[in-house]
Amino acid sequence: MNSRPIFPMDESYEEYIHDESQFSGSAQSISFPRSEEEICAVISEMREQQIPVTVQGGKTGIAGSGVPLGGHLMNVADCSRVLEYSETDGKYLLTVEPGLRLTELKQEMAKLGGPVHLFWPPEPTETSATVGGVAAAAASGICSYAYGGARQYFEAARVVLADGTVRDIRCGDHFLKVNGEQLDELDAFLGSEGMLGVFSALTLRLIPCPAEQWGIAFFFENRQDAWRFADELQSDPVRSEEAQVTAAEYIDGNSIRLVESKKELLTKLGSIPPIDPTFDAMIYLEIAGEEAGIESAAEILMERATQFGSDPDRAWAVSGEKEIESLRTFRHAVPETANLIVEENHRSNAEITKLSTDISFEGKSFTQIMNWYEECLKDLRPAHCIFGHIGENHLHCNLFPKNSSEQQQCEAWMSWMLQESAGLGGCVVTENGVGKLKRRWLPSDNALISRMRKLKEIYDPTNFWNPGNMF
Ligand SMILES: Cc1cc2nc3c(=O)[nH]c(=O)nc-3n(C[C@H](O)[C@H](O)[C@H](O)COP(=O)(O)OP(=O)(O)OC[C@H]3O[C@@H](n4cnc5c(N)ncnc54)[C@H](O)[C@@H]3O)c2cc1C
């Protein structure tokens, strides 16, 4: 068997012992396998020595789930070939190795050729993430408003298990009974944070690109007006045979000011005009479909936004992939800037880590949820910002403690907040995972944790994979 070197850990690998959350760990050794065969070789050696393995992809996770707590660290980002493409009965399937980054995936999809241009909807905004990381986090993309979450865009996976066997798992082929629930085996692995095995290949379901796409950013001087506009989008989504809203994102005034304050550090934002700091909220929408349908949808949205106090002359409206990419760059700059600030604060105090909610609330109005956030935040001193998906009220409230005492205060707030949100029917882990950072704040009766305990008994009873994630 072709084996890849396993290196003893030293300071030259320092960048691998933390992720974007600034949570830091340690490892005895590290490897960078470039194929399934090399993954198997590393696992076989670790199994013989009874050393647990933490799997890592692009290290863009924000819950510390790919950060090792001792043992061996296996970074699979170099295992990144495209393996197979097939097109049958209107199904477009692309099989890739897990380390393929989203930027590379995009280039590969453009090369597929043929009359139909294809894309993969569950792309998180961080494009250096890997396909394996997206599968393990069940991450979701900016267009989840129209296309839903990541799970439905995986057809199959190849997984290397702790005993060294390699399994092909296809959606709909095999079901498990876990805690009284019927669970598709593929679903069991998606979102499992690398705790059951390592993906060595993934088959993605691609879909045809819409004919046209527009992006519109609406600005509001009063955030409550933006919330009411979001309520209306939820109760009456602008959808027709010809076009639909595909992305609906909320960005609060604090987020806008945060990005403006760090703009000089984010070179990609060069072409974006400055935003008036008095704006209290922004709503970013994308509309996709046939041109005529998009035009009438945009008209309806413009009228509605005007009714809710947004000046249509100050809105940004663009069409075409390239221009939309620049507006998305602004949307992406929000979490990027939040992470940058956490990183800066972490440099002056190592206790400081990312503190961000990832809660979705189905069946509630946006205004109700935002009022609730504001009520929860009213006594918290450290700075914060809120942004995220309007669909299912899936918002990320980021906190920025600057010293140990503020960090402790914010951690206590997070713990309390997650309990409170569960009481309100919120799903407290939606796309960013639990990892090592959030496990201590999860309500003890959390269904995801209880399911994962059962799955660990089935697939990884010796706790070989990713020790310290979730529990
Ligand atoms: C600026 C910014 C914006 C972001 N925006 C979004 C967003 O819009 N939506 C969203 O959902 N997330 C977002 N994220 C979070 C992050 O990008 C995603 O969670 C992403 O899926 C992580 O992929 P990764 O390759 O970096 O994985 P890593 O961080 O390396 O690992 C994440 C998890 O995946 C596991 N893993 C990695 N590869 C494998 C494999 N081959 N087999 C088994 N397990 C594996 C790891 O063990 C770990 O548990 C954002 C992050 C940043 C920094």
Side-chain angles (χ1 to χ4, degrees):
M1 183 177 283
N2 179 10
S3 92
R4 288 286 295 166
I6 291 169
F7 305 98
M9 202 66 185
D10 63 38
E11 60 276 14
S12 61
Y13 300 113
E14 206 274 336
E15 66 179 287
Y16 296 96
I17 56 161
H18 55 84
D19 63 6
E20 283 288 329
S21 69
Q22 302 306 323
F23 178 83
S24 290
S26 63
Q28 288 164 243
S29 58
I30 186 166
S31 62
F32 302 92
R34 290 197 293 199
S35 65
E36 181 182 282
E37 200 185 8
E38 291 180 359
I39 289 175
C40 290
V42 173
I43 290 170
S44 157
E45 193 165 331
M46 292 305 137
R47 197 179 57 249
E48 264 169 37
Q49 296 180 43
Q50 298 188 342
I51 295 174
V53 173
T54 296
V55 186
Q56 195 175 71
K59 296 189 283 118
T60 71
I62 45 180
S65 57
V67 175
L69 288 181
H72 178 74
L73 174 57
M74 184 166 63
N75 184 298
V76 296
D78 290 343
C79 182
S80 60
R81 285 170 306 169
V82 171
L83 300 175
E84 195 185 348
Y85 172 65
S86 74
E87 187 196 321
T88 18
D89 303 332
K91 263 191 175 182
Y92 306 97
L93 301 178
L94 183 67
T95 302
V96 301
E97 287 182 331
L100 192 74
R101 293 183 194 263
L102 297 178
T103 35
E104 297 157 352
L105 173 65
K106 211 164 195 173
Q107 288 160 10
E108 293 300 333
M109 288 187 296
K111 279 192 236 155
L112 291 175
V116 186
H117 294 273
L118 300 168
F119 80 114
W120 191 55
E123 296 179 342
T125 66
E126 178 50 62
T127 53
S128 63
T130 65
V131 170
V134 172
S140 51
I142 190 167
C143 291
S144 57
Y145 184 77
Y147 300 113
R151 292 175 190 271
Q152 55 195 300
Y153 298 99
F154 288 96
E155 173 77 8
R158 251 171 100 76
V159 187
V160 184
L161 298 172
D163 62 7
T165 53
V166 182
R167 288 272 311 275
D168 278 302
I169 302 174
R170 188 161 280 275
C171 178
D173 268 4
H174 185 225
F175 291 85
L176 312 161
K177 196 105 189 219
V178 179
N179 290 345
E181 266 182 70
Q182 184 98 318
L183 183 64
D184 188 308
E185 192 177 26
L186 181 61
D187 241 356
F189 278 82
L190 298 174
S192 64
E193 299 190 6
M195 293 169 70
L196 306 178
V198 51
F199 296 117
S200 56
L202 289 143
T203 302
L204 317 181
R205 290 180 183 145
L206 310 184
I207 64 170
C209 293
E212 293 286 336
Q213 254 178 302
W214 285 21
I216 313 180
F218 293 107
F219 297 95
F220 297 82
E221 282 170 0
N222 178 337
R223 63 187 179 286
Q224 282 85 1
D225 286 338
W227 302 353
R228 289 189 291 126
F229 179 56
D231 288 344
E232 188 107 338
L233 273 172
Q234 290 178 335
S235 60
D236 180 11
V238 179
R239 192 176 293 146
S240 69
E241 294 265 295
E242 294 85 31
Q244 63 173 332
V245 173
T246 48
E249 297 286 301
Y250 175 77
I251 296 167
D252 77 350
N254 288 345
S255 304
I256 293 173
R257 287 181 286 279
L258 221 60
V259 174
E260 286 296 319
S261 72
K262 297 283 174 195
K263 214 168 178 178
E264 76 284 1
L265 299 174
L266 304 164
T267 47
K268 285 191 200 149
L269 281 186
S271 58
I272 303 270
I275 303 181
D276 184 341
T278 62
F279 280 131
D280 206 15
M282 164 181 173
I283 287 187
Y284 173 62
L285 303 176
E286 285 180 15
I287 318 166
E290 300 300 327
E291 190 157 4
I294 296 184
E295 272 174 27
S296 41
E299 246 170 65
I300 296 171
L301 291 165
M302 284 281 184
E303 264 171 41
R304 271 197 206 168
T306 311
Q307 274 169 21
F308 290 113
S310 174
D311 179 353
D313 292 335
R314 300 182 79 183
W316 297 342
V318 299
S319 65
E321 205 182 325
K322 217 167 166 194
E323 280 70 21
I324 283 188
E325 216 42 71
S326 70
L327 285 197
R328 281 193 182 184
T329 304
F330 180 84
R331 162 61 182 83
H332 179 60
V334 178
E336 238 183 341
T337 311
N339 294 348
L340 197 73
I341 290 169
V342 176
E343 195 185 335
E344 281 172 8
N345 293 342
H346 175 81
R347 255 186 257 130
S348 58
N349 183 327
E351 280 175 41
I352 290 169
T353 58
K354 173 103 176 164
L355 291 163
S356 156
T357 63
D358 178 31
I359 313 167
S360 61
F361 292 93
E362 252 184 273
K364 301 266 189 293
S365 83
F366 196 78
T367 297
Q368 185 185 357
I369 294 306
M370 285 307 300
N371 276 324
W372 175 75
Y373 264 107
E374 293 211 344
E375 181 62 26
C376 292
L377 283 160
K378 74 177 190 309
D379 296 324
L380 196 78
R381 295 277 302 281
H384 66 267
C385 71
I386 301 182
F387 59 89
H389 318 304
I390 289 172
E392 297 184 358
N393 305 298
H394 179 187
L395 295 165
H396 304 293
C397 174
N398 281 242
L399 309 177
F400 304 107
K402 284 196 167 137
N403 53 43
S404 302
S405 124
E406 288 189 353
Q407 173 76 16
Q408 281 158 22
Q409 192 194 347
C410 289
E411 287 186 12
W413 184 89
M414 282 295 272
S415 169
W416 168 78
M417 176 77 175
L418 294 198
Q419 303 284 344
E420 289 288 300
S421 57
L424 207 72
C427 171
V428 296
V429 184
T430 305
E431 63 181 11
N432 296 155
V434 180
K436 278 122 200 151
L437 270 182
K438 284 200 182 143
R439 60 183 178 174
R440 58 208 149 127
W441 303 319
L442 282 199
S444 52
D445 57 350
N446 182 272
L448 169 71
I449 301 295
S450 141
R451 189 176 89 177
M452 189 51 73
R453 285 190 193 282
K454 284 274 179 259
L455 291 171
K456 273 296 239 192
E457 283 168 21
I458 300 170
Y459 293 102
D460 185 25
T462 61
N463 208 15
F464 180 76
W465 297 111
N466 284 23
N469 272 2
M470 291 202 199
F471 39 80

